[in-house]
Amino acid sequence: MIKVSAASSSNSLWGKKLAFRGRPCMWQLQPDVVVPALQGFSVCTRLRLNVATEWTGFVYKAPGGRDIELGLGGTGSQLAVWLFGEEKCLEKELQLHQWHSVCLTWCGQARRLRVYVNGTIQQEAYVNALLPEALAPNGTLTLGVTHYVDSNGEVKQESGKDLLGEIGLFRMWSREWSAEELRRPLCYADGDVVSWDLRQWKYNCDPEPDNNIHCDTGLTEGLPAQPAHMSTTGETLDLNKFAKPENCLEEATSTIYGKYIWPETFPQVKGEILCRKPKRNRAYRLCKLDIETDSTSWDAPDMKRCNPIVTISGLDNITVTTGNTAEVVGMIQDLVDVQLGDSGELSSSDLDTVVEKLSEIVDVGTQAAVGADVLNIVADILVSKTDITPVAGIVLNLTENLGNTMDFQGESESVEAPLLAMSMINVDPNGFGGLTFGVSSISQTLNPEEPHTTNATQSSWKLNSYVVSASINSSHVSNLEDRVVVTLSHHTPEQGGWNSNGCETQNISPNRTSCLCDHLTHFAVLLDVSRSPIPISETDSKILTVISYLGCGISSIFLGFTLLTYLLFEKLRRDYPSKILINLSSALLGLSMLFLVDTWLSSFRNYGLCIATAATLHYFLLASFTWMGLEAVHMYLALVKVFNTYVPSYILKFCAVGWGVPLVIVSLVLAIDKDAYGDGVPENAKLNLQSNDPFCWLQNDVFFYVTVVAFVLLVMVCNICVFVVVLVQIRRMRANKLSANSRSSPLDLRAVASLTVLLGLTWSMGFFSFGPGRVVMMYLFSIFNTLQGFFVFLFHCLMKENVRKQWRIHLCCGRFRLNDHSDWSRTVTAGGHGKKNNLVNSAPSDDTSSTRKVSDSSTQDEHI
């Protein structure tokens, strides 16, 4: 709930800070605080960065505007300033865990912007004349986060660029301050446009007192301060106009050092007291004077010379009860802060003690505020140099139990720390219909990586990645009807969104899980019959992926040329072989194109679209093999069968089989189980193929082996048999020719290559991709099969005389152009008109010369 401060005796925020620790925290300007159209202004803020992320100091936006009118932010410790929608980056680096003063001044008449850091000017820039001179009035202003205004006029927080640190001051004046003025203490001069006062702000997280904020060092760290009695204009201040400040009263300090009773001390005077152990050392504490509120307060004590009475090892003697959990958690936080501040890490024994005591606290139950403190302690240990590997399992169980035992009001509660986040929801079992949740990280130092082993024996594993879990109290979940999807994304400032290393883990079925993290998908995924768990190297996977996409791209281009050639030139498609070739080229083109766009379509994460893509890819794969098989049938009828064969509607029946059989198979798979298709490879295949990019394809092993492997194997066996028989038949016919002695070898090589391409015999290499030569076979498989379309163009367009003549007749000019009435164009092909179109072999059984004539003039020329 947004809090609106009411008038009180002291509304000044001086001596307080706004802590942004990753929890929802937004400070926004009250709607009744009007920012006028300023042609000159000065804005100063004091901030400290604790984590190097993309951060926001403040953002001011014009009414209804989306661009940042005025803002301060950065990436890591680098600085960036926005003015009138333009971003200006500075080379200045802000050190982490240190307070910094940043001031922006603007002179509209000179169109000059100046940026000061810790009192020193860092940049002076002149703005484009096309941009406004004055700041847009009546805008919205937020601190620590960026924002937008919804349709109801409500200011809403935008996530992803939140400050992880503190803001100790923010003020705005209606004129440009000079460099000399900015070097003076600004604690005496409140802003005349926006002041550091509770009455001007709406907020959902309370300010915290910070006794380290001093007037003489607040905005001028590292610079010589002006005397405290001087005003911002150089005039002497009359301190008598302030009421006499009270002295600091006695107050106890931290429990880990004991109950120290500090003596009464006057303002601006340090109070000191002997340490409990050893007696010769002293502790110091400053009594601070707030000149605006005319009140005094204790600064944080300097206990460096004192040894704590309670140590981490002493936690073992503390019994945790439901009544003292908050006190024990506070004590643990103090001890951990001291230890991490001294050495940067916890020893193994101290880590065990802290984790054990936190587990006891979680077991007895906690409130939401105490649970948040526990989560912060765990986060502090995670970001330190402490090796948590020995207690990693305990920490995971601790965080899960924390959610189970935490007591909170309302329907839900979220607890967040810089590296951890937890959300609890109370649900009604009778009305629960499902849950969707997401997790994001804005840390630049953590990237999703694969788990790796910590030693050569691989006996223990160290997880070096994000860990996400979801649990239901006292419940066991199994046999889910719907898939569970968890998406992990890494936010990077340079992208302004999620980077390409995003990792999606999905539960494809209640008993199968696959992790899709890499971006590698090569052609072998279509026909890897072994699905062996033996992996291949990442280098081989990347090379195979490049080969696959390059080969399919080349084939798609040349298959398009082939189809255009045969469809444009009517004389080329009069015979049966050409018509079969057109259908085969169409199927191969569809297969290549679908493979190229499959990963892109699956990236939309649309379940229905992915099923349609996988089913279409399956269809074109089956259609390609069906037409390869029909090529073999036609060759057998044309070259081997010696009887007159009359087949009515010959090509029409071939089309019904070539396009209809794949359609029936795919329709049956969809009817039986549409979830057989999806955006992942099978569980074993993801290991050996490294094809972990979202890829829409058959996931079910049974359907894959029955509808793909068995189908392809059947076609390959038939095609190999026809291949051998056709080569023997052609060899016999050429042996009777007188010219065979001079041209036999080249023609035989061309015949073998041409038939291999048409019959798709190179696909048989997919059945041998296992064992020691598996990687080699995968390379050969990817090269030859992705380039099948190119080879079709090479042997059946580029190397065919009748195709080249058609090109020369219609596409060439001058002396390269042929006459359209050349002798070859009048040659009668095997597919004439009328009933002759239905004669597969027109030669009688006893006329050997006729058989040879048909074979030489048609089949040999068309297929070889």
Side-chain angles (χ1 to χ4, degrees):
M1 176 179 293
I2 297 292
K3 300 181 181 179
V4 181
S5 61
S8 64
S9 59
S10 177
N11 291 293
S12 174
L13 286 170
W14 179 254
K16 298 179 181 180
K17 65 182 180 182
L18 314 182
F20 298 87
R21 300 190 177 95
R23 307 188 186 102
C25 182
M26 183 174 71
W27 280 63
Q28 67 182 79
L29 203 61
Q30 288 275 21
D32 57 351
V33 179
V34 177
V35 177
L38 299 174
Q39 289 190 343
F41 61 80
S42 299
V43 178
C44 289
T45 185
R46 185 172 184 261
L47 54 85
R48 176 166 61 184
L49 306 178
N50 294 333
V51 181
T53 63
E54 187 174 14
W55 57 274
T56 300
F58 67 90
V59 165
Y60 176 82
K61 293 186 177 182
R66 303 185 63 180
D67 294 332
I68 299 177
E69 186 82 356
L70 177 66
L72 174 69
T75 300
S77 54
Q78 299 298 317
L79 200 62
V81 174
W82 286 267
L83 181 63
F84 304 135
E86 286 191 350
E87 180 182 6
K88 300 183 181 299
C89 296
L90 282 71
E91 295 296 330
K92 178 65 177 177
E93 180 174 342
L94 302 183
Q95 297 296 324
L96 297 179
H97 308 294
Q98 293 185 13
W99 284 102
H100 298 278
S101 163
V102 182
C103 293
L104 313 179
T105 66
W106 166 250
C107 177
Q109 185 176 2
R111 309 193 67 81
R112 179 182 61 237
L113 171 69
R114 287 173 176 168
V115 182
Y116 299 82
V117 178
N118 297 329
T120 303
I121 187 169
Q122 297 295 323
Q123 186 179 44
E124 181 176 288
Y126 291 87
V127 176
N128 192 312
L130 298 178
L131 294 177
E133 288 186 6
L135 200 66
N138 303 320
T140 53
L141 173 68
T142 55
L143 302 181
V145 300
T146 184
H147 68 276
Y148 69 95
V149 179
D150 64 12
S151 58
N152 298 323
E154 294 288 333
V155 177
K156 299 294 184 181
Q157 178 178 346
E158 288 182 350
S159 60
K161 299 181 181 180
D162 301 350
L163 173 71
L164 293 178
E166 292 119 11
I167 293 179
L169 189 66
F170 182 89
R171 288 171 180 174
M172 186 174 186
W173 297 269
S174 57
R175 67 180 180 90
E176 181 192 26
W177 283 45
S178 66
E180 181 182 1
E181 290 174 319
L182 290 174
R183 292 191 182 98
R184 298 170 181 170
L186 297 180
C187 56
Y188 301 107
D190 208 349
D192 57 0
V193 178
V194 178
S195 62
W196 196 229
D197 190 288
L198 275 175
R199 288 169 293 186
Q200 290 200 350
W201 300 94
K202 293 173 63 177
Y203 55 96
N204 60 2
C205 55
D206 294 325
E208 298 178 5
D210 190 345
N211 296 323
N212 293 315
I213 299 178
H214 303 288
C215 179
D216 56 343
T217 60
L219 287 171
T220 57
E221 294 182 6
L223 297 171
Q226 299 293 326
H229 61 279
M230 301 295 292
S231 70
T232 57
T233 61
E235 300 175 355
T236 303
L237 287 174
D238 183 9
L239 296 179
N240 293 326
K241 68 180 180 180
F242 298 101
K244 182 180 179 181
E246 297 181 356
N247 301 335
C248 288
L249 302 178
E250 297 178 350
E251 184 177 334
T253 185
S254 174
T255 56
I256 65 173
Y257 293 98
K259 296 290 184 180
Y260 283 82
I261 305 299
W262 295 88
E264 183 179 6
T265 304
F266 288 96
Q268 306 298 329
V269 176
K270 282 187 177 181
E272 63 177 34
I273 194 170
L274 288 172
C275 296
R276 301 298 178 104
K277 301 186 301 182
K279 298 272 185 172
R280 63 180 181 273
N281 290 333
R282 293 179 178 270
Y284 296 92
R285 200 174 198 187
L286 175 67
C287 181
K288 297 191 307 179
L289 169 64
D290 190 329
I291 199 169
E292 292 188 358
T293 62
D294 194 23
S295 62
T296 59
S297 62
W298 284 112
D299 195 0
D302 183 356
M303 312 293 291
K304 294 179 181 178
R305 299 183 180 181
C306 300
N307 295 325
I309 294 176
V310 180
T311 61
I312 291 181
S313 59
L315 292 174
D316 292 330
N317 301 323
I318 298 177
T319 302
V320 178
T321 63
T322 55
N324 69 351
T325 54
E327 182 179 355
V328 176
V329 169
M331 185 181 300
I332 295 174
Q333 181 72 73
D334 290 340
L335 292 171
V336 169
D337 289 343
V338 171
Q339 184 64 32
L340 295 180
D342 292 340
S343 61
E345 62 180 336
L346 298 181
S347 64
S348 177
S349 59
D350 287 347
L351 178 63
D352 292 339
T353 301
V354 170
V355 172
E356 180 181 355
K357 192 57 59 177
L358 291 178
S359 298
E360 293 180 12
I361 294 171
V362 170
D363 289 339
V364 301
T366 61
Q367 298 294 325
V370 178
D373 293 336
V374 171
L375 211 61
N376 275 303
I377 294 174
V378 175
D380 291 341
I381 297 174
L382 289 177
V383 298
S384 68
K385 300 177 182 179
T386 307
D387 181 15
I388 67 163
T389 303
V391 296
I394 301 176
V395 172
L396 290 177
N397 291 332
L398 184 153
T399 54
E400 181 175 355
N401 292 336
L402 178 63
N404 294 336
T405 60
M406 187 180 297
D407 184 20
F408 60 91
Q409 302 296 325
E411 183 180 349
S412 64
E413 180 72 27
S414 294
V415 179
E416 300 175 2
L419 295 180
L420 295 171
M422 180 180 298
S423 181
M424 290 74 63
I425 301 176
N426 284 324
V427 297
D428 181 6
N430 297 325
F432 182 68
L435 174 67
T436 300
F437 67 94
V439 178
S440 65
S441 172
I442 55 175
S443 173
Q444 296 178 341
T445 58
L446 295 179
N447 293 313
E449 297 181 8
E450 291 296 319
H452 63 274
T453 56
T454 58
N455 53 54
T457 61
Q458 298 186 1
S459 59
S460 61
W461 290 81
K462 179 181 177 181
L463 191 63
N464 188 24
S465 64
Y466 295 99
V467 179
V468 177
S469 66
S471 61
I472 301 177
N473 293 7
S474 304
S475 301
H476 176 70
V477 180
S478 61
N479 298 324
L480 299 176
E481 294 182 358
D482 298 324
R483 304 193 306 173
V484 176
V485 177
V486 179
T487 301
L488 304 182
S489 300
H490 183 69
H491 186 273
T492 55
E494 61 271 13
Q495 292 176 323
W498 310 116
N499 74 351
S500 59
N501 260 347
C503 169
E504 174 174 296
T505 303
Q506 59 181 358
N507 188 352
I508 299 172
S509 67
N511 298 317
R512 176 184 295 173
T513 302
S514 66
C515 181
L516 312 177
C517 295
D518 296 327
H519 293 264
L520 305 173
T521 302
H522 50 77
F523 208 65
V525 71
L526 299 179
L527 192 64
D528 182 70
V529 297
S530 65
R531 302 205 163 186
S532 169
I534 303 175
I536 63 175
S537 68
E538 183 178 357
T539 301
D540 287 330
S541 297
K542 291 180 179 179
I543 295 174
L544 286 170
T545 301
V546 173
I547 291 174
S548 299
Y549 282 91
L550 186 61
C552 286
I554 293 173
S555 289
S556 298
I557 295 173
F558 285 100
L559 284 170
F561 289 159
T562 302
L563 287 173
L564 283 175
T565 298
Y566 279 87
L567 293 176
L568 288 176
F569 305 141
E570 188 270 339
K571 291 183 179 180
L572 295 179
R573 61 176 187 270
R574 289 178 178 177
D575 50 36
Y576 296 152
S578 298
K579 294 177 180 178
I580 296 174
L581 181 66
I582 291 174
N583 285 276
L584 175 59
S585 298
S586 300
L588 290 175
L589 180 60
L591 176 63
S592 299
M593 294 293 290
L594 256 296
F595 180 83
L596 289 174
V597 301
D598 191 299
T599 301
W600 174 67
L601 292 174
S602 64
S603 66
F604 289 98
R605 302 298 184 194
N606 186 295
Y607 184 56
L609 177 62
C610 190
I611 290 179
T613 302
T616 308
L617 181 63
H618 188 199
Y619 173 78
F620 278 110
L621 179 66
L622 297 180
S624 298
F625 278 97
T626 305
W627 281 105
M628 293 177 201
L630 293 174
E631 281 277 11
V633 171
H634 179 74
M635 288 182 188
Y636 177 80
L637 295 176
L639 291 173
V640 180
K641 193 172 180 62
V642 295
F643 297 100
N644 288 330
T645 304
Y646 176 75
V647 180
S649 304
Y650 185 70
I651 291 298
L652 183 61
K653 291 180 179 178
F654 265 42
C655 289
V657 174
W659 300 109
V661 170
L663 180 62
V664 171
I665 295 175
V666 173
S667 299
L668 287 175
V669 174
L670 291 172
I672 296 173
D673 182 13
K674 63 180 178 62
D675 291 329
Y677 299 107
D679 61 346
V681 293
E683 185 176 8
N684 292 333
K686 72 183 177 69
L687 296 175
N688 64 352
L689 294 179
Q690 299 293 326
S691 298
N692 295 340
D693 194 42
F695 186 79
C696 298
W697 182 230
L698 272 170
Q699 295 187 78
N700 188 283
D701 288 347
V702 175
F703 285 106
F704 176 78
Y705 283 111
V706 173
T707 64
V708 176
V709 176
F711 187 87
V712 172
L713 182 62
L714 177 63
V715 173
M716 286 293 101
V717 171
C718 296
N719 286 8
I720 291 173
C721 294
V722 172
F723 176 76
V724 174
V725 173
V726 168
L727 285 184
V728 171
Q729 183 71 6
I730 293 176
R731 186 65 178 176
R732 288 177 180 175
M733 290 187 295
R734 284 182 177 168
N736 297 325
K737 288 187 176 182
L738 296 177
S739 61
N741 294 332
S742 60
R743 299 182 56 193
S744 176
S745 295
L747 289 177
D748 286 346
L749 291 176
R750 176 184 169 185
V752 171
S754 177
L755 291 176
T756 300
V757 170
L758 284 182
L759 301 181
L761 301 184
T762 54
W763 285 83
S764 61
M765 288 184 287
F767 296 95
F768 301 97
S769 57
F770 56 85
R774 179 171 174 274
V775 176
V776 176
M777 295 303 297
M778 293 179 70
Y779 272 98
L780 296 176
F781 180 92
S782 298
I783 292 172
F784 285 106
N785 293 327
T786 58
L787 292 174
Q788 185 178 3
F790 168 74
F791 292 131
V792 168
F793 172 82
L794 177 66
F795 289 111
H796 298 278
C797 281
L798 194 61
M799 298 181 66
K800 285 187 64 173
E801 183 180 0
N802 58 344
V803 175
R804 292 199 304 269
K805 288 184 178 180
Q806 283 294 309
W807 286 345
R808 293 181 64 182
I809 291 172
H810 297 281
L811 303 179
C812 295
C813 58
R815 64 187 184 89
F816 297 102
R817 182 172 183 177
L818 290 180
N819 191 339
D820 194 15
H821 301 287
S822 57
D823 293 339
W824 79 271
S825 63
R826 297 190 296 269
T827 304
V828 179
T829 59
H833 300 281
K835 290 188 176 182
K836 289 184 179 181
N837 280 333
N838 299 323
L839 290 174
V840 177
N841 191 332
S842 59
S845 59
D846 57 348
D847 190 350
T848 306
S849 61
S850 298
T851 302
R852 292 175 183 168
K853 180 179 179 181
V854 173
S855 300
D856 291 344
S857 64
S858 175
T859 309
Q860 281 187 254
D861 183 57
E862 299 301 328
H863 292 288
I864 304 173

